[in-house]
Amino acid sequence: MIQVFVTGGTFDKEYNYLTGELYFKDTHLKEMFDRGRCNVDIDIKTLMMVDSLEMREEDRGFIVHNCKKTLAKQILLTHGTDRMVETASVLAEAGLEDKTVVLTGAMIPYAFGTSSDGFFNLGSALAFVQVLPPGVYIVMNGRHFPWDKVRKNKQTGNFEEI
Amino acid sequence: MIQVFVTGGTFDKEYNYLTGELYFKDTHLKEMFDRGRCNVDIDIKTLMMVDSLEMREEDRGFIVHNCKKTLAKQILLTHGTDRMVETASVLAEAGLEDKTVVLTGAMIPYAFGTSSDGFFNLGSALAFVQVLPPGVYIVMNGRHFPWDKVRKNKQTGNFEEI
Amino acid sequence: MIQVFVTGGTFDKEYNYLTGELYFKDTHLKEMFDRGRCNVDIDIKTLMMVDSLEMREEDRGFIVHNCKKTLAKQILLTHGTDRMVETASVLAEAGLEDKTVVLTGAMIPYAFGTSSDGFFNLGSALAFVQVLPPGVYIVMNGRHFPWDKVRKNKQTGNFEEI
Amino acid sequence: MIQVFVTGGTFDKEYNYLTGELYFKDTHLKEMFDRGRCNVDIDIKTLMMVDSLEMREEDRGFIVHNCKKTLAKQILLTHGTDRMVETASVLAEAGLEDKTVVLTGAMIPYAFGTSSDGFFNLGSALAFVQVLPPGVYIVMNGRHFPWDKVRKNKQTGNFEEI
């Protein structure tokens, strides 16, 4: 079984037509796996729905706690891209030695239709988490990066090796 | 570099509003990788645009020829789902020993918007082709199958182990 | 109140991923009016779900019967484009003197996402039916045509004056 | 000929994936009329691209100036919904007696895919501007409202009669 943890991020944002602002309602993850006709055994659990810029130390603690507690050896975590590397490093240092943890996200909300990269990233992340050896990885832009070899380029929005 | 070969299939079909039938115009692969913000080094080449039910022996010969000729060790092939297993077996028997070949497709055309599985499958296929050992695989439903351990279930449209 | 009658047509077709053919499931009309944030008083009734090429004389009789029976003075009818003019002429000859009847449809199914003209046509048809004097009209391509001054151009798919 | 004036508003907003904010790039109006297979004679001119909350007195002056100058008797104006009634009243008081002016907009950006009301509203507005007598109107929610008989309900986002 693959454990999917939802934490929010651009991935799951929606447009509030009354205020003109982005916000979180429900996660789209189940609908996305269904649309992908996915028949891998997965369990989806929403841990929080936050913008990663607003993620606090205790939020990361809660993520670590859940990654440790789950019996699954393969964990897919959706996360805002701005602080994805930071959470990945916290997870790596928490000692989840025999588990493969993949963090992914989106630059454009899934709910924004045919411009969003989210559905592609989810497909990639689901594939990588099934075959990569234990460790913590970021999956974006069709690639996988070990947690300590990657940064987000703020000019392009892409993740790149360091 | 990853070699992407386009052969058509439901993946790339479009709706002809004059006849009400499905047909092929151009492949959507480049647009899809761009939307996925993919920065893996890929080369896309259209070999043919056919429904796999109409794929002939010489078409498969042409696919084999191109898979042998390319210098790439990683090959992603889009293909109709109805005869995907058949083409996979022809490729496996052709002797491409040091190459990883992944065939993928879609149950609903990418051009049909927010119901299509194609974008998710492409993300999965791109991920699997980067990490699986040499061999011929089918990637559908979020999973990878060795070419000789899979069939399409015609009742559900899903691929399953045999 | 505006009476909306659904008869099928390309408008409401869907893609059957098992057979690769187009078919009818449920109408999208309610979902479309909701998405359009429409708060006009409308009543939607599905009379049939057929391709207009397969519409028989008794089907047209059933449409006429319902247009006569409804108490509404404004009727919006969704219909396949190929025989829309034919049904319009049957309605015109049936004597619905004090009613405004607008037929509309789509060249690309609404379910096919961001290429479909259906949502635009529905907006136009709903507007025209509220303000045109009694009579039978076809609304396509952003225009309204009296039933006896229009034909579908089979080369372009557009409706034009005769 | 129908004159279409673009002023911005939610209608034409896009998502900036680097900042996570909404902004204006180019108008989608031409693409929308093409998708709607519209063959009415229209001329599209972008006057400005602003959020109506940021529209200043001189912006409204510029809109009035253009509505007076155009030779067209039918004018369709896209506009943010928050100050649409205000601009409509400025236009009504400017004395455009023999012209039909329709203002429309969207609650969700057209670029946000299958949730946006924009395409429906555009179809409605195009229809109403062709048949309403001279005057200034707001077209939203499938309805038309004379400029002095309408307000936006901030709780629901809908326009309603006063």
Side-chain angles (χ1 to χ4, degrees):
Chain A
M1 194 206 62
I2 299 172
Q3 180 72 61
V4 176
F5 285 138
V6 175
T7 75
T10 295
F11 208 89
D12 264 333
K13 281 192 180 164
E14 315 235 10
Y15 181 73
N16 181 331
Y17 63 76
L18 292 176
T19 64
E21 290 170 353
L22 302 185
Y23 76 121
F24 292 107
K25 206 164 48 176
D26 299 314
T27 178
H28 300 83
L29 265 288
K30 183 176 177 330
E31 167 196 345
M32 291 170 78
F33 283 118
D34 286 348
R35 176 181 163 196
R37 308 180 59 77
C38 175
N39 58 10
V40 179
D41 185 18
I42 54 173
D43 179 66
I44 304 173
K45 189 174 172 186
T46 300
L47 299 186
M48 62 197 72
M49 293 285 268
V50 297
D51 188 315
S52 72
L53 291 173
E54 289 164 16
M55 199 176 264
R56 301 155 304 166
E57 203 180 328
E58 57 259 47
D59 294 325
R60 290 205 172 81
F62 187 62
I63 294 171
V64 166
H65 170 73
N66 276 280
C67 287
K68 285 191 169 173
K69 205 180 61 176
T70 179
L71 298 176
K73 297 297 184 196
Q74 297 169 327
I75 301 172
L76 192 170
L77 190 74
T78 65
H79 197 285
T81 59
D82 285 318
R83 294 284 183 271
M84 193 182 276
V85 175
E86 194 172 327
T87 298
S89 72
V90 170
L91 283 163
E93 284 154 15
L96 305 161
E97 288 88 358
D98 60 342
K99 295 185 177 179
T100 300
V101 183
V102 161
L103 292 88
T104 196
M107 291 301 290
I108 298 179
Y110 178 68
F112 290 5
T114 51
S115 59
S116 173
D117 52 335
F119 197 41
F120 178 87
N121 295 347
L122 188 65
S124 292
L126 180 68
F128 277 125
V129 81
Q130 293 178 69
V131 287
L132 288 175
V136 178
Y137 306 89
I138 280 175
V139 169
M140 288 291 289
N141 308 113
R143 304 171 64 185
H144 67 289
F145 304 90
W147 67 273
D148 56 350
K149 298 277 188 296
V150 61
R151 71 172 165 212
K152 182 179 172 185
N153 180 322
K154 299 216 182 295
Q155 268 67 51
T156 64
N158 289 344
F159 285 74
E160 53 191 27
E161 279 173 50
I162 51 173
Chain B
M1 193 204 63
I2 298 172
Q3 179 73 61
V4 176
F5 285 138
V6 175
T7 76
T10 295
F11 207 90
D12 264 333
K13 280 192 181 166
E14 315 235 8
Y15 181 73
N16 182 332
Y17 61 76
L18 292 176
T19 64
E21 290 169 352
L22 303 185
Y23 76 121
F24 293 108
K25 207 163 48 175
D26 299 314
T27 180
H28 300 83
L29 265 288
K30 182 175 180 328
E31 168 195 343
M32 291 170 78
F33 283 118
D34 286 348
R35 176 182 164 195
R37 309 181 57 79
C38 174
N39 58 12
V40 180
D41 185 17
I42 54 173
D43 178 67
I44 305 173
K45 189 175 170 186
T46 301
L47 299 186
M48 64 197 71
M49 292 285 268
V50 297
D51 187 315
S52 72
L53 290 173
E54 290 164 14
M55 199 177 264
R56 299 156 306 166
E57 201 180 327
E58 57 259 47
D59 295 325
R60 291 205 171 82
F62 187 62
I63 294 172
V64 167
H65 170 74
N66 276 279
C67 287
K68 285 191 168 172
K69 207 179 61 176
T70 180
L71 298 177
K73 297 298 184 195
Q74 298 170 328
I75 301 172
L76 192 171
L77 191 71
T78 65
H79 197 285
T81 59
D82 286 316
R83 294 284 183 272
M84 194 182 276
V85 176
E86 195 172 327
T87 298
S89 73
V90 170
L91 282 164
E93 284 154 15
L96 304 162
E97 288 88 357
D98 59 342
K99 296 184 177 178
T100 300
V101 183
V102 161
L103 292 88
T104 196
M107 290 303 288
I108 298 180
Y110 177 68
F112 290 5
T114 52
S115 59
S116 173
D117 52 336
F119 197 41
F120 178 85
N121 295 346
L122 188 66
S124 292
L126 180 69
F128 278 125
V129 81
Q130 292 178 69
V131 286
L132 289 174
V136 178
Y137 306 88
I138 280 175
V139 170
M140 288 291 290
N141 307 114
R143 305 173 63 186
H144 68 290
F145 304 91
W147 67 275
D148 55 349
K149 299 278 188 294
V150 61
R151 70 171 166 213
K152 182 178 172 185
N153 181 322
K154 299 218 182 292
Q155 268 66 53
T156 63
N158 288 345
F159 284 73
E160 54 192 27
E161 277 174 52
I162 52 172
Chain C
M1 192 205 61
I2 298 172
Q3 179 73 60
V4 176
F5 285 138
V6 176
T7 76
T10 295
F11 208 90
D12 263 334
K13 280 192 180 165
E14 314 236 9
Y15 182 73
N16 181 330
Y17 62 76
L18 292 177
T19 64
E21 289 169 352
L22 302 185
Y23 76 121
F24 293 107
K25 208 163 48 177
D26 299 314
T27 179
H28 299 84
L29 264 288
K30 183 177 179 327
E31 168 196 344
M32 291 169 79
F33 283 118
D34 286 349
R35 176 182 163 195
R37 311 180 57 77
C38 175
N39 58 11
V40 180
D41 185 18
I42 54 174
D43 178 66
I44 304 174
K45 187 173 172 190
T46 300
L47 299 186
M48 63 197 73
M49 291 284 268
V50 298
D51 188 315
S52 71
L53 290 173
E54 291 164 15
M55 199 176 264
R56 300 157 305 167
E57 203 180 326
E58 56 259 47
D59 294 327
R60 291 207 171 81
F62 187 63
I63 294 171
V64 167
H65 170 74
N66 276 280
C67 287
K68 285 190 169 174
K69 206 179 60 175
T70 180
L71 298 177
K73 297 296 184 198
Q74 299 170 327
I75 302 173
L76 193 171
L77 190 72
T78 66
H79 197 285
T81 59
D82 286 317
R83 293 284 182 271
M84 192 181 277
V85 176
E86 196 172 326
T87 298
S89 72
V90 170
L91 283 164
E93 285 154 15
L96 305 162
E97 288 88 358
D98 60 342
K99 295 185 178 179
T100 300
V101 183
V102 161
L103 293 88
T104 196
M107 291 301 290
I108 298 180
Y110 178 68
F112 290 4
T114 52
S115 59
S116 174
D117 52 336
F119 196 42
F120 178 86
N121 295 347
L122 189 66
S124 293
L126 180 68
F128 278 125
V129 81
Q130 293 177 69
V131 286
L132 289 175
V136 178
Y137 306 89
I138 280 176
V139 169
M140 290 290 290
N141 307 113
R143 305 171 64 185
H144 68 290
F145 304 90
W147 68 274
D148 56 349
K149 297 278 188 297
V150 61
R151 70 173 165 212
K152 181 178 172 185
N153 181 322
K154 300 219 183 292
Q155 268 68 51
T156 63
N158 289 345
F159 284 73
E160 54 192 28
E161 279 173 51
I162 52 173
Chain D
M1 193 204 62
I2 298 172
Q3 180 72 60
V4 177
F5 285 138
V6 176
T7 76
T10 296
F11 208 90
D12 265 333
K13 280 193 181 167
E14 316 235 9
Y15 182 72
N16 182 331
Y17 62 75
L18 293 176
T19 64
E21 290 170 352
L22 303 185
Y23 76 121
F24 293 107
K25 207 162 49 174
D26 299 315
T27 179
H28 300 83
L29 265 288
K30 184 179 177 329
E31 169 196 343
M32 291 170 79
F33 283 117
D34 286 348
R35 176 181 163 195
R37 309 180 58 77
C38 174
N39 57 13
V40 180
D41 185 19
I42 54 173
D43 179 66
I44 304 173
K45 188 174 171 186
T46 300
L47 299 186
M48 62 198 70
M49 292 285 268
V50 298
D51 188 315
S52 72
L53 291 173
E54 290 164 16
M55 200 177 264
R56 301 156 304 167
E57 201 181 328
E58 58 258 48
D59 294 326
R60 291 205 172 81
F62 187 62
I63 294 171
V64 167
H65 170 74
N66 276 279
C67 288
K68 287 191 168 173
K69 204 180 62 175
T70 180
L71 299 177
K73 297 296 183 197
Q74 299 169 326
I75 301 173
L76 193 170
L77 191 72
T78 66
H79 197 285
T81 59
D82 286 317
R83 294 285 183 271
M84 194 183 277
V85 175
E86 194 172 328
T87 298
S89 73
V90 171
L91 282 164
E93 285 153 17
L96 305 161
E97 289 87 357
D98 59 343
K99 295 184 178 180
T100 300
V101 183
V102 161
L103 291 88
T104 195
M107 290 302 288
I108 298 181
Y110 178 68
F112 290 4
T114 52
S115 59
S116 174
D117 52 337
F119 197 40
F120 178 86
N121 296 346
L122 188 65
S124 293
L126 181 67
F128 278 124
V129 81
Q130 293 178 71
V131 285
L132 289 174
V136 178
Y137 306 89
I138 280 176
V139 170
M140 288 292 289
N141 307 114
R143 304 173 63 186
H144 68 288
F145 303 90
W147 68 273
D148 55 350
K149 298 278 187 296
V150 61
R151 71 172 165 214
K152 181 178 172 184
N153 180 322
K154 298 216 183 296
Q155 269 67 53
T156 63
N158 288 345
F159 284 73
E160 54 192 27
E161 277 173 52
I162 51 174

